[in-house]
Amino acid sequence: MAEQGAFTRSMRKKKLPYLAEARDRAWDALTKGQPGAMAVEAALRVMEECPYFNAGYGGYPNVNGIVLLDVGLMSGNRGFVSIVNMRRVKYPSSVALDMMSRRRAIMTVWTHELMQELDTAAPEIKERYGVVEKHEDLVAPFVKELLGKAQAAEVSSLGTVGCVVRDASGRLFAGTSTGGVNLKSNGRIGDSPIIGSGVFADDEVCALSTTGHGESFMRSLFSGFVIAEMRRLLRNDPQVFARGPENCRALLENEFDEMKRKAPGTGGGIIIIPAGGEPTFSFNSEMLSVAFRSSRTAGPGEAMIALADGRALR
Ligand code: ASP
């Protein structure tokens, strides 16, 4: 890993306790036998609430000073939901999870009418989603201060959050939540809410979540190639990932090399649970902070939560 700058180190120190708490919430849900969807939501909510992560309340404002959030959730039986450009909510993952069971559309742009629905919703719904009155209320004081400093250049892309789990029934689930890159153009969509890019789950292949420079991940089709290669290996040998993390790690490193070749100067990270295997991660950014827990015995499945400092170039 490259030598970390003081700024990166201090951010990491702030984030780690919340990362551990997010992992523990997910683990609690799994050990109570709850489905992976609930474990992922529980973990993402902890990080969306914390201003140190670029998601929910800590999301970075766009070029107009408005926090526009993207979120994607996917279950291993191909249930998917993503919402882009969501505004004035602290917990996009909860909105997405509730939408997953109600709507037929799998990708949704957060429209004026959807916002109105929430503004007139029952108080308990508003509380569950963390609806705030004004755009400014979603810009956390910590974020304001951070972005006002000289080091603002260092935070073009820091701290998208993700969580992947395998629950007690063996089902995989993945979620990614982000404010996107700092000062993004109005309406810009990154990789996080894109199926098979920033988020993906298939019980027969893997569950994954990525962080980093979205344009690079999408242009190089990073996750698409990872998924295809994993499926190919699994078809040849269903135990390929059950024997240890080496095969998965090698595959991810190879794909990061490809991304570097196709989109030089950019960085990012991935957390992944391969079919039959243990949680694994890889990154080519300055840092990736990861927390995970797993049990190979009957009962709880595996929980893994990660955030990353992509230090991406725009
Ligand atoms: N991947 C996110 C995006 O491009 C940003 C990040 O992960 O930091 O929107």
Side-chain angles (χ1 to χ4, degrees), residues 54 60 70 155-161 176-182 184 188-193 198 210-218 267-269 308-312:
N54 176 18
Y60 294 158
D70 295 339
V155 293
S156 67
S157 174
L158 274 177
T160 288
V161 299
T176 306
S177 181
T178 188
V181 290
N182 180 27
K184 64 187 178 184
R188 177 257 186 195
I189 302 168
D191 60 323
S192 308
T210 65
T211 178
H213 186 244
E215 281 73 5
S216 303
F217 274 86
M218 290 189 281
D309 291 311
R311 188 59 64 84

Side-chain angles (χ1 to χ4, degrees), residues 198-264:
V199 60
F200 183 75
D202 180 330
D203 291 338
E204 292 173 13
V205 185
C206 67
L208 67 80
S209 171
T210 65
T211 178
H213 186 244
E215 281 73 5
S216 303
F217 274 86
M218 290 189 281
R219 281 201 181 110
S220 63
L221 204 66
F222 176 91
S223 300
F225 284 113
V226 166
I227 296 159
E229 182 61 0
M230 290 184 97
R231 191 177 73 162
R232 190 185 68 78
L233 292 176
L234 281 160
R235 281 183 175 168
N236 285 341
D237 173 6
Q239 296 305 311
V240 61
F241 300 120
R243 283 193 292 273
E246 295 75 22
N247 290 326
C248 184
R249 275 198 204 126
L251 183 158
L252 297 175
E253 274 162 30
N254 186 43
E255 214 42 62
F256 271 120
D257 287 346
E258 279 295 297
M259 185 165 92
K260 204 165 154 195
R261 204 166 60 80
K262 289 172 190 157

Side-chain angles (χ1 to χ4, degrees), residues 16 90 97 107 109 159 219 290:
L16 284 180
K90 284 185 179 171
L97 186 63
M107 294 190 74
V109 179
R219 281 201 181 110
V290 176

